[in-house]
Amino acid sequence: MTTDHLTHRRPPGHVRHTASKVPEVTVYFWIIKVLTTGMGETASDFLAHAFGPIPAVGLGGLALVAALVVQLTVRRYVAWIYWTAVVMVSVFGTMAADVLHVGLGVPYAVSTPFFMLALAAVFALWYRSEGTLSIHSIHTRRRELFYWATVLATFALGTAAGDLTATIGLGYLGSAVLYAVAIAVPAIAHRWGALNAVAAFWTAYVITRPLGASVADWMAVSHGRGGLAMGLGPVTLSWTVAILGFVGYLAFTRKDVGQGAASA
């Protein structure tokens, strides 16, 4: 699903603001999004093992706040700033879901619907306040705050859902296959007119989280747990390098910047 799909049937006179704070939705968007989800999953686990859960959550929270402050300060979309914020949301969103399960003993079967309700609440408040959930409308501070609250909720939900399916018998590889199939559903539904563009986008956005996290976990965990035993550190590093490569390419080519913004 690309920006062309999201702008399909947009009401007359509704044009995308030239100072949008989010990238165009291209194939690169979805690739980097999946990479950030996997990197956030293994980075969170790596930091928890290296520093302990509480210090890791503290560091992750501080880094997230710093990344979001920078993102909110800039006046338009900047690739490396935006994707740094997404990475930190990914890391902290994973920690939030893990704290409920590991620290407080909340089962994934409980935390998954909890985060689902939290996401629904954010969507409801956003729509009631702004009358739209479209990412093409992110050109005011309030809408940007709603956007990042939504992104954080999707990461927490996706983390819990991915861990839920992995621990009920599917394993990490089985979960990855499940979500790889699931992510095609909103695209097909939208193509056949059964789902509007905004709903299809956010549905796919949520599914990218357990998809990327399941693949990264499968690569990192031991053979005894059904993985490739590559280790948390190497997987985190390799996915980070991939993210840097794609973001650097976009920063140079500006293929994820709208025509109006590109010429501004």
Side-chain angles (χ1 to χ4, degrees):
M1 189 183 308
T2 66
T3 290
D4 288 340
H5 291 96
L6 288 171
T7 56
H8 184 56
R9 296 178 183 175
R10 187 181 297 174
H14 185 171
V15 295
R16 185 167 183 263
H17 198 283
T18 57
S20 177
K21 298 294 292 290
V22 300
E24 292 288 314
V25 183
T26 67
V27 65
Y28 300 106
F29 176 92
W30 293 113
I31 291 173
I32 300 174
K33 175 61 171 64
V34 172
L35 288 171
T36 62
T37 65
M39 180 270 185
E41 174 75 14
T42 55
S44 174
D45 291 342
F46 179 80
L47 291 172
H49 282 90
F51 300 105
I54 295 178
V57 170
L59 290 172
L62 290 174
L64 172 61
V65 170
L68 287 179
V69 166
V70 175
Q71 168 64 23
L72 292 170
T73 300
V74 297
R75 299 185 63 183
R76 62 180 67 245
Y77 166 72
V78 179
W80 72 269
I81 293 177
Y82 172 86
W83 287 110
T84 297
V86 172
V87 166
M88 294 318 306
V89 169
S90 176
V91 173
F92 189 77
T94 301
M95 291 177 175
D98 288 344
V99 163
L100 280 181
H101 180 71
V102 178
L104 301 179
V106 178
Y108 291 126
V110 174
S111 60
T112 299
F114 170 79
F115 286 124
M116 189 177 298
L117 290 174
L119 177 60
V122 174
F123 276 139
L125 290 172
W126 183 0
Y127 190 80
R128 181 176 181 180
S129 173
E130 305 300 318
T132 179
L133 301 177
S134 172
I135 66 168
H136 299 292
S137 66
I138 312 302
H139 52 75
T140 68
R141 178 59 56 83
R142 185 165 60 184
R143 291 184 179 185
E144 190 174 10
L145 290 172
F146 276 122
Y147 174 80
W148 286 106
T150 302
V151 171
L152 181 57
T154 64
F155 272 94
L157 169 59
T159 299
D163 288 337
L164 173 64
T165 56
T167 55
I168 61 174
L170 287 179
Y172 295 114
L173 181 58
S175 294
V177 173
L178 170 66
Y179 292 116
V181 173
I183 202 170
V185 174
I188 295 172
H190 172 62
R191 183 176 181 84
W192 288 96
L195 196 64
N196 67 51
V198 173
F201 171 82
W202 284 116
T203 301
Y205 196 94
V206 170
I207 297 173
T208 59
R209 173 57 186 167
L211 171 60
S214 296
V215 174
D217 276 334
W218 172 63
M219 294 173 64
V221 301
S222 66
H223 295 302
R225 298 174 61 190
L228 298 180
M230 294 176 61
L232 294 171
V235 172
T236 300
L237 179 59
S238 61
W239 285 52
T240 300
V241 170
I243 293 169
L244 291 173
F246 278 107
V247 173
Y249 173 75
L250 292 178
F252 178 75
T253 63
R254 305 194 76 189
K255 287 183 176 293
D256 59 342
V257 179
Q259 292 300 313
S263 59

